[in-house]
Amino acid sequence: MEGIEFQIRTLRRPSFTPFVDHRYPLSIEQRIQQSDQFNRSKRDLATTLANIEDSFSTSRAGSHTGGPKCEQCTAKKEKTWQAYHDFYLGNESGRWDAGLTTYRKEISSMFAGPDKPNLEVIHSRFEKELRDHLRKNLCTFQERTDPPAAIEHKKAIQAQFDEGVPTKTILQNILIAEQDLSALYSEEEIIFLDSLEKSQTAQERTKIYTRYYCSSSYNDTPQQKNIKAKYERLFENGVPHDEVISLWRQEVVELQRQEISRLKHRLAELRLAQSAHLKDKAKKAEKDHQMQELPQKKSVQCNLRDCGTELDLEDEDGVLQCALCDWLTNKVQPDDDRRGRTYYCSARHAEEDFDDHDHYEHVCTMHGECIHDGGPIPVDTSFSGICRDCLQAGSISYFCSQECWNANMEHHREEFHDERNENHAQELELFQPEPDLEISPSSPMEA
């Protein structure tokens, strides 16, 4: 029975995904469980056989006739047979053959038959199955996750199995080949696997797991620190290695899913903003193009009704025009001489037209809500102005005074800013005529 002495466990790269029903390669937890259980079964068998030998070597065992019907020999044989039955067909948790139903039925039939075979025949079948189990565990590789050096190493092991090299020799060759592990593992992995190989108790392995997986690093984020502390507690509470790693992986996958979802949402917002920006840009370009296509007027008529005097806009001496209208027009259409501006042939006509012009053209945005509605409107336009937020959005909202703005700011925002959600400006952009214009002191006209 010498073949039983070789170990199931061997130093291999850890597989962090728990496997079910003996999918190969086995995980760390499965290898440790199977190794521990296999060694316990060997010790129990050796102890039982020694006790049987001792019990039948004393006088209390009865007379020994040595014949075919010797009761002592028959009893000793039955006890020995039962000891090997328990070794090969035990139901302990973590056995290497727990999921090999066909193999266990075959072994069970060998013990249950009327003509029990020689134990060497049973052991030969046992060694064959164990060899195949080790081959699958040691040689199965995962192309997407295993490094090239590890894959080549496993292929070399597979070749030894195919060539019929004895199992014990293959395991010894693996240990020799893995003396230099630098091509297969990082330094941390070497320490981790070597520590596991030498460990004997669950308490020792808990310390190894927490040190390898949960040790803090100087560049850990608060989230990473919390996750490591969480799973360190699971290890310390005795939760199996594979279960902890599986839960950890699920949490990481979920966090990645949430982050990807957040980034996708942010990307969608940016795309919408970019689309709106491009549409506004295209709209402005189209408007500019249309303005360039229209012929520019070279002359206009005096704005006073019944005057009709033609004014040459290219006159070097200049023409009179409303400074406030000019300022408002420059805010949205600085290059358009045809719209928004008001011209006069003389200061007298400008004075005569001022009341009507001011009433119809300089209308406060608030209309009936204007604090001056029904009362005197300020003649001094130097404190009138426009909403900075509306101007930023490409429109004009004119207020007759800063006081009117202060009184109606919130109402204006609710009515005009609700879709844009832009409420930054606290002050109006005040009326400020061009610095190179000469302003008439009697009215908001420029000459």
Side-chain angles (χ1 to χ4, degrees), residues 324 327-328 358-359 361-387 397-408 428-431:
L324 181 55
W327 180 73
L328 292 172
D358 188 57
H359 178 74
E361 301 297 335
H362 304 162
V363 182
C364 181
T365 297
M366 298 312 300
H367 298 285
E369 301 294 330
C370 176
I371 63 174
H372 300 292
D373 184 52
I377 299 177
V379 175
D380 185 1
T381 58
S382 61
F383 293 101
S384 65
I386 57 178
C387 172
S397 294
Y398 173 72
F399 286 81
C400 61
S401 66
Q402 181 69 44
E403 290 80 5
C404 186
W405 161 261
N406 293 337
N408 293 289
L428 290 175
E429 179 167 337
L430 297 177
F431 164 57

Short mmCIF file of all heavy atoms in Angstrom, two decimals, residues 324 327-328 358-359 361-387 397-408 428-431:
data_model
loop_
_atom_site.label_atom_id
_atom_site.label_comp_id
_atom_site.label_asym_id
_atom_site.label_seq_id
_atom_site.Cartn_x
_atom_site.Cartn_y
_atom_site.Cartn_z
N LEU A 324 -30.14 104.45 -26.75
CA LEU A 324 -30.62 103.25 -26.06
C LEU A 324 -30.96 102.15 -27.06
O LEU A 324 -30.60 100.97 -26.86
CB LEU A 324 -31.85 103.60 -25.21
CG LEU A 324 -32.45 102.44 -24.41
CD1 LEU A 324 -31.40 101.78 -23.51
CD2 LEU A 324 -33.64 102.92 -23.58
N TRP A 327 -27.79 100.66 -28.34
CA TRP A 327 -27.13 99.78 -27.35
C TRP A 327 -27.82 98.41 -27.28
O TRP A 327 -27.16 97.38 -27.26
CB TRP A 327 -27.17 100.47 -25.99
CG TRP A 327 -26.53 99.68 -24.89
CD1 TRP A 327 -25.21 99.46 -24.69
CD2 TRP A 327 -27.21 99.01 -23.82
NE1 TRP A 327 -25.01 98.70 -23.57
CE2 TRP A 327 -26.23 98.40 -23.00
CE3 TRP A 327 -28.55 98.88 -23.46
CZ2 TRP A 327 -26.54 97.69 -21.87
CZ3 TRP A 327 -28.86 98.15 -22.32
CH2 TRP A 327 -27.88 97.56 -21.54
N LEU A 328 -29.16 98.45 -27.28
CA LEU A 328 -29.91 97.20 -27.23
C LEU A 328 -29.66 96.35 -28.47
O LEU A 328 -29.51 95.13 -28.40
CB LEU A 328 -31.41 97.46 -27.06
CG LEU A 328 -31.84 98.04 -25.72
CD1 LEU A 328 -33.32 98.44 -25.77
CD2 LEU A 328 -31.58 97.06 -24.58
N ASP A 358 -40.24 106.62 -26.92
CA ASP A 358 -39.91 106.01 -25.63
C ASP A 358 -41.05 105.12 -25.14
O ASP A 358 -40.82 104.04 -24.59
CB ASP A 358 -39.62 107.11 -24.61
CG ASP A 358 -39.08 106.55 -23.32
OD1 ASP A 358 -38.05 105.84 -23.36
OD2 ASP A 358 -39.69 106.80 -22.26
N HIS A 359 -42.28 105.55 -25.39
CA HIS A 359 -43.44 104.78 -24.94
C HIS A 359 -43.56 103.43 -25.67
O HIS A 359 -43.92 102.42 -25.06
CB HIS A 359 -44.71 105.60 -25.14
CG HIS A 359 -45.96 104.88 -24.74
ND1 HIS A 359 -46.31 104.67 -23.43
CD2 HIS A 359 -46.95 104.30 -25.50
CE1 HIS A 359 -47.44 104.00 -23.38
NE2 HIS A 359 -47.85 103.76 -24.63
N GLU A 361 -41.04 101.93 -27.88
CA GLU A 361 -39.80 101.19 -28.14
C GLU A 361 -39.02 100.84 -26.88
O GLU A 361 -38.29 99.85 -26.87
CB GLU A 361 -38.90 102.00 -29.08
CG GLU A 361 -39.54 102.31 -30.42
CD GLU A 361 -39.86 101.06 -31.22
OE1 GLU A 361 -39.20 100.03 -31.00
OE2 GLU A 361 -40.77 101.11 -32.07
N HIS A 362 -39.15 101.65 -25.83
CA HIS A 362 -38.40 101.38 -24.60
C HIS A 362 -39.32 100.80 -23.54
O HIS A 362 -39.38 101.27 -22.41
CB HIS A 362 -37.74 102.67 -24.09
CG HIS A 362 -36.86 103.35 -25.08
ND1 HIS A 362 -36.47 104.67 -24.97
CD2 HIS A 362 -36.28 102.89 -26.23
CE1 HIS A 362 -35.69 104.99 -26.00
NE2 HIS A 362 -35.57 103.91 -26.78
N VAL A 363 -40.03 99.74 -23.92
CA VAL A 363 -41.03 99.15 -23.03
C VAL A 363 -40.34 98.22 -22.03
O VAL A 363 -39.56 97.34 -22.41
CB VAL A 363 -42.08 98.37 -23.83
CG1 VAL A 363 -43.14 97.79 -22.88
CG2 VAL A 363 -42.73 99.29 -24.85
N CYS A 364 -40.63 98.39 -20.76
CA CYS A 364 -40.07 97.51 -19.72
C CYS A 364 -40.60 96.09 -19.90
O CYS A 364 -41.79 95.89 -20.20
CB CYS A 364 -40.44 98.05 -18.34
SG CYS A 364 -39.78 97.06 -16.97
N THR A 365 -39.76 95.13 -19.70
CA THR A 365 -40.14 93.71 -19.84
C THR A 365 -41.31 93.33 -18.95
O THR A 365 -42.12 92.48 -19.30
CB THR A 365 -38.93 92.81 -19.51
OG1 THR A 365 -37.90 93.07 -20.47
CG2 THR A 365 -39.29 91.35 -19.53
N MET A 366 -41.43 93.97 -17.79
CA MET A 366 -42.44 93.56 -16.82
C MET A 366 -43.83 94.10 -17.18
O MET A 366 -44.81 93.68 -16.57
CB MET A 366 -42.04 94.05 -15.42
CG MET A 366 -40.74 93.44 -14.92
SD MET A 366 -40.64 91.64 -15.13
CE MET A 366 -42.03 91.10 -14.15
N HIS A 367 -43.94 95.03 -18.14
CA HIS A 367 -45.24 95.55 -18.58
C HIS A 367 -46.10 95.94 -17.37
O HIS A 367 -45.76 96.85 -16.63
CB HIS A 367 -45.95 94.53 -19.46
CG HIS A 367 -45.20 94.22 -20.71
ND1 HIS A 367 -45.15 95.09 -21.79
CD2 HIS A 367 -44.44 93.12 -21.06
CE1 HIS A 367 -44.41 94.57 -22.74
NE2 HIS A 367 -43.96 93.37 -22.33
N GLY A 368 -47.23 95.28 -17.19
CA GLY A 368 -48.15 95.64 -16.11
C GLY A 368 -47.57 95.47 -14.72
O GLY A 368 -48.08 96.03 -13.75
N GLU A 369 -46.52 94.66 -14.58
CA GLU A 369 -45.89 94.45 -13.28
C GLU A 369 -44.83 95.49 -12.99
O GLU A 369 -44.25 95.50 -11.91
CB GLU A 369 -45.27 93.04 -13.22
CG GLU A 369 -46.23 91.90 -13.44
CD GLU A 369 -47.26 91.80 -12.33
OE1 GLU A 369 -46.92 92.18 -11.19
OE2 GLU A 369 -48.39 91.36 -12.61
N CYS A 370 -44.53 96.31 -13.98
CA CYS A 370 -43.49 97.32 -13.81
C CYS A 370 -43.88 98.28 -12.68
O CYS A 370 -45.05 98.70 -12.58
CB CYS A 370 -43.30 98.10 -15.11
SG CYS A 370 -42.12 99.47 -14.99
N ILE A 371 -42.94 98.63 -11.84
CA ILE A 371 -43.25 99.49 -10.69
C ILE A 371 -43.62 100.90 -11.14
O ILE A 371 -44.17 101.69 -10.35
CB ILE A 371 -42.08 99.53 -9.70
CG1 ILE A 371 -40.84 100.16 -10.36
CG2 ILE A 371 -41.78 98.15 -9.15
CD1 ILE A 371 -39.69 100.36 -9.38
N HIS A 372 -43.27 101.27 -12.39
CA HIS A 372 -43.60 102.58 -12.91
C HIS A 372 -44.85 102.57 -13.79
O HIS A 372 -45.19 103.58 -14.39
CB HIS A 372 -42.43 103.14 -13.73
CG HIS A 372 -41.17 103.27 -12.93
ND1 HIS A 372 -41.01 104.18 -11.91
CD2 HIS A 372 -40.00 102.58 -13.00
CE1 HIS A 372 -39.80 104.06 -11.39
NE2 HIS A 372 -39.16 103.09 -12.03
N ASP A 373 -45.53 101.41 -13.89
CA ASP A 373 -46.71 101.33 -14.73
C ASP A 373 -47.80 102.25 -14.19
O ASP A 373 -48.19 102.16 -13.02
CB ASP A 373 -47.23 99.89 -14.77
CG ASP A 373 -48.41 99.75 -15.72
OD1 ASP A 373 -48.26 100.17 -16.88
OD2 ASP A 373 -49.45 99.22 -15.29
N GLY A 374 -48.26 103.15 -15.04
CA GLY A 374 -49.28 104.11 -14.61
C GLY A 374 -48.70 105.33 -13.96
O GLY A 374 -49.42 106.26 -13.61
N GLY A 375 -47.36 105.34 -13.75
CA GLY A 375 -46.71 106.49 -13.14
C GLY A 375 -45.63 107.01 -14.04
O GLY A 375 -45.42 106.52 -15.15
N PRO A 376 -44.88 108.00 -13.56
CA PRO A 376 -43.82 108.57 -14.39
C PRO A 376 -42.68 107.58 -14.58
O PRO A 376 -42.17 107.01 -13.61
CB PRO A 376 -43.38 109.80 -13.60
CG PRO A 376 -43.74 109.49 -12.18
CD PRO A 376 -44.98 108.67 -12.24
N ILE A 377 -42.28 107.36 -15.83
CA ILE A 377 -41.15 106.49 -16.13
C ILE A 377 -39.88 107.32 -16.07
O ILE A 377 -39.85 108.45 -16.56
CB ILE A 377 -41.30 105.86 -17.52
CG1 ILE A 377 -42.59 105.02 -17.56
CG2 ILE A 377 -40.10 105.02 -17.89
CD1 ILE A 377 -42.88 104.42 -18.90
N PRO A 378 -38.82 106.81 -15.46
CA PRO A 378 -37.60 107.58 -15.34
C PRO A 378 -37.09 108.03 -16.70
O PRO A 378 -37.00 107.24 -17.64
CB PRO A 378 -36.62 106.61 -14.68
CG PRO A 378 -37.47 105.60 -14.01
CD PRO A 378 -38.69 105.48 -14.86
N VAL A 379 -36.78 109.32 -16.81
CA VAL A 379 -36.20 109.83 -18.05
C VAL A 379 -34.73 109.47 -18.14
O VAL A 379 -34.20 109.20 -19.22
CB VAL A 379 -36.40 111.37 -18.14
CG1 VAL A 379 -35.69 111.94 -19.37
CG2 VAL A 379 -37.88 111.71 -18.15
N ASP A 380 -34.08 109.43 -17.01
CA ASP A 380 -32.66 109.08 -16.98
C ASP A 380 -32.50 107.59 -17.20
O ASP A 380 -32.83 106.78 -16.33
CB ASP A 380 -32.05 109.48 -15.63
CG ASP A 380 -30.54 109.25 -15.61
OD1 ASP A 380 -29.99 108.82 -16.64
OD2 ASP A 380 -29.93 109.52 -14.56
N THR A 381 -32.05 107.22 -18.39
CA THR A 381 -31.92 105.80 -18.73
C THR A 381 -30.61 105.20 -18.30
O THR A 381 -30.34 104.03 -18.56
CB THR A 381 -32.07 105.62 -20.25
OG1 THR A 381 -31.07 106.40 -20.90
CG2 THR A 381 -33.45 106.02 -20.72
N SER A 382 -29.77 105.97 -17.62
CA SER A 382 -28.45 105.43 -17.23
C SER A 382 -28.55 104.33 -16.20
O SER A 382 -27.58 103.60 -15.97
CB SER A 382 -27.56 106.57 -16.70
OG SER A 382 -28.15 107.16 -15.56
N PHE A 383 -29.73 104.19 -15.55
CA PHE A 383 -29.91 103.12 -14.56
C PHE A 383 -30.84 102.03 -15.08
O PHE A 383 -31.28 101.18 -14.33
CB PHE A 383 -30.45 103.70 -13.25
CG PHE A 383 -29.47 104.58 -12.55
CD1 PHE A 383 -29.58 105.95 -12.64
CD2 PHE A 383 -28.41 104.04 -11.85
CE1 PHE A 383 -28.67 106.78 -12.00
CE2 PHE A 383 -27.50 104.86 -11.21
CZ PHE A 383 -27.61 106.24 -11.29
N SER A 384 -31.20 102.10 -16.35
CA SER A 384 -31.94 101.00 -16.97
C SER A 384 -30.94 99.96 -17.47
O SER A 384 -29.74 100.22 -17.57
CB SER A 384 -32.80 101.52 -18.13
OG SER A 384 -31.98 102.01 -19.17
N GLY A 385 -31.45 98.79 -17.80
CA GLY A 385 -30.51 97.76 -18.26
C GLY A 385 -31.22 96.47 -18.66
O GLY A 385 -32.45 96.42 -18.74
N ILE A 386 -30.44 95.44 -18.86
CA ILE A 386 -30.98 94.15 -19.31
C ILE A 386 -30.52 93.04 -18.38
O ILE A 386 -29.49 93.14 -17.71
CB ILE A 386 -30.54 93.84 -20.76
CG1 ILE A 386 -29.01 93.86 -20.87
CG2 ILE A 386 -31.17 94.81 -21.74
CD1 ILE A 386 -28.50 93.51 -22.25
N CYS A 387 -31.32 91.95 -18.34
CA CYS A 387 -31.02 90.78 -17.51
C CYS A 387 -29.79 90.06 -18.08
O CYS A 387 -29.78 89.66 -19.24
CB CYS A 387 -32.22 89.85 -17.47
SG CYS A 387 -31.91 88.26 -16.67
N SER A 397 -34.02 91.05 -22.21
CA SER A 397 -35.10 91.40 -21.28
C SER A 397 -34.72 92.75 -20.67
O SER A 397 -33.83 92.83 -19.83
CB SER A 397 -35.25 90.34 -20.19
OG SER A 397 -35.69 89.11 -20.73
N TYR A 398 -35.43 93.81 -21.14
CA TYR A 398 -35.09 95.18 -20.77
C TYR A 398 -35.89 95.63 -19.55
O TYR A 398 -37.10 95.46 -19.50
CB TYR A 398 -35.36 96.13 -21.95
CG TYR A 398 -35.18 97.59 -21.62
CD1 TYR A 398 -33.92 98.14 -21.43
CD2 TYR A 398 -36.30 98.42 -21.53
CE1 TYR A 398 -33.78 99.49 -21.13
CE2 TYR A 398 -36.16 99.77 -21.24
CZ TYR A 398 -34.90 100.30 -21.04
OH TYR A 398 -34.74 101.62 -20.74
N PHE A 399 -35.20 96.20 -18.56
CA PHE A 399 -35.84 96.74 -17.36
C PHE A 399 -35.60 98.24 -17.33
O PHE A 399 -34.48 98.71 -17.56
CB PHE A 399 -35.28 96.09 -16.10
CG PHE A 399 -35.77 94.69 -15.88
CD1 PHE A 399 -35.18 93.62 -16.55
CD2 PHE A 399 -36.83 94.42 -15.03
CE1 PHE A 399 -35.63 92.32 -16.36
CE2 PHE A 399 -37.30 93.14 -14.83
CZ PHE A 399 -36.69 92.08 -15.51
N CYS A 400 -36.65 98.97 -17.00
CA CYS A 400 -36.57 100.43 -17.05
C CYS A 400 -35.69 101.01 -15.96
O CYS A 400 -35.22 102.15 -16.08
CB CYS A 400 -37.98 101.04 -16.97
SG CYS A 400 -38.86 100.64 -15.44
N SER A 401 -35.45 100.25 -14.89
CA SER A 401 -34.61 100.75 -13.80
C SER A 401 -34.14 99.59 -12.94
O SER A 401 -34.72 98.50 -12.97
CB SER A 401 -35.39 101.76 -12.93
OG SER A 401 -36.46 101.10 -12.26
N GLN A 402 -33.11 99.85 -12.16
CA GLN A 402 -32.60 98.84 -11.24
C GLN A 402 -33.64 98.52 -10.17
O GLN A 402 -33.78 97.39 -9.73
CB GLN A 402 -31.30 99.33 -10.57
CG GLN A 402 -30.68 98.35 -9.60
CD GLN A 402 -30.11 97.11 -10.30
OE1 GLN A 402 -29.45 97.22 -11.32
NE2 GLN A 402 -30.38 95.94 -9.75
N GLU A 403 -34.41 99.55 -9.78
CA GLU A 403 -35.45 99.34 -8.77
C GLU A 403 -36.52 98.37 -9.27
O GLU A 403 -37.00 97.51 -8.54
CB GLU A 403 -36.11 100.68 -8.39
CG GLU A 403 -35.23 101.62 -7.61
CD GLU A 403 -34.25 102.37 -8.49
OE1 GLU A 403 -34.34 102.21 -9.74
OE2 GLU A 403 -33.38 103.10 -7.98
N CYS A 404 -36.90 98.54 -10.55
CA CYS A 404 -37.89 97.62 -11.13
C CYS A 404 -37.35 96.20 -11.18
O CYS A 404 -38.07 95.24 -10.94
CB CYS A 404 -38.28 98.13 -12.52
SG CYS A 404 -39.65 97.19 -13.28
N TRP A 405 -36.07 96.06 -11.52
CA TRP A 405 -35.42 94.74 -11.52
C TRP A 405 -35.44 94.12 -10.13
O TRP A 405 -35.81 92.96 -9.97
CB TRP A 405 -33.99 94.88 -12.05
CG TRP A 405 -33.09 93.72 -11.68
CD1 TRP A 405 -32.19 93.67 -10.66
CD2 TRP A 405 -33.00 92.44 -12.32
NE1 TRP A 405 -31.55 92.47 -10.62
CE2 TRP A 405 -32.03 91.68 -11.64
CE3 TRP A 405 -33.66 91.87 -13.41
CZ2 TRP A 405 -31.67 90.40 -12.01
CZ3 TRP A 405 -33.31 90.57 -13.78
CH2 TRP A 405 -32.34 89.86 -13.09
N ASN A 406 -35.07 94.89 -9.13
CA ASN A 406 -35.04 94.36 -7.76
C ASN A 406 -36.41 93.89 -7.32
O ASN A 406 -36.56 92.86 -6.66
CB ASN A 406 -34.51 95.43 -6.80
CG ASN A 406 -33.06 95.77 -7.05
OD1 ASN A 406 -32.31 94.97 -7.62
ND2 ASN A 406 -32.63 96.96 -6.64
N ALA A 407 -37.43 94.65 -7.71
CA ALA A 407 -38.79 94.32 -7.28
C ALA A 407 -39.36 93.10 -8.02
O ALA A 407 -40.18 92.36 -7.47
CB ALA A 407 -39.71 95.53 -7.48
N ASN A 408 -38.93 92.88 -9.26
CA ASN A 408 -39.55 91.84 -10.10
C ASN A 408 -38.61 90.71 -10.50
O ASN A 408 -38.96 89.88 -11.33
CB ASN A 408 -40.11 92.49 -11.38
CG ASN A 408 -41.27 93.41 -11.11
OD1 ASN A 408 -42.36 92.96 -10.76
ND2 ASN A 408 -41.04 94.72 -11.24
N LEU A 428 -28.44 94.15 -12.90
CA LEU A 428 -28.63 94.35 -14.34
C LEU A 428 -27.31 94.69 -15.02
O LEU A 428 -26.37 95.19 -14.39
CB LEU A 428 -29.60 95.50 -14.58
CG LEU A 428 -31.08 95.28 -14.22
CD1 LEU A 428 -31.84 96.58 -14.43
CD2 LEU A 428 -31.70 94.16 -15.05
N GLU A 429 -27.25 94.41 -16.31
CA GLU A 429 -26.18 95.01 -17.11
C GLU A 429 -26.72 96.38 -17.55
O GLU A 429 -27.61 96.47 -18.40
CB GLU A 429 -25.83 94.14 -18.31
CG GLU A 429 -24.74 94.77 -19.16
CD GLU A 429 -24.15 93.82 -20.18
OE1 GLU A 429 -24.24 92.59 -19.99
OE2 GLU A 429 -23.58 94.32 -21.17
N LEU A 430 -26.19 97.42 -16.96
CA LEU A 430 -26.74 98.77 -17.14
C LEU A 430 -26.43 99.32 -18.53
O LEU A 430 -25.42 98.98 -19.14
CB LEU A 430 -26.19 99.70 -16.06
CG LEU A 430 -26.58 99.34 -14.62
CD1 LEU A 430 -25.91 100.31 -13.65
CD2 LEU A 430 -28.09 99.35 -14.44
N PHE A 431 -27.34 100.19 -18.96
CA PHE A 431 -27.18 100.87 -20.24
C PHE A 431 -25.88 101.67 -20.25
O PHE A 431 -25.60 102.45 -19.36
CB PHE A 431 -28.38 101.79 -20.47
CG PHE A 431 -28.17 102.82 -21.55
CD1 PHE A 431 -27.82 102.43 -22.84
CD2 PHE A 431 -28.31 104.18 -21.28
CE1 PHE A 431 -27.62 103.38 -23.84
CE2 PHE A 431 -28.11 105.13 -22.27
CZ PHE A 431 -27.77 104.73 -23.56
#
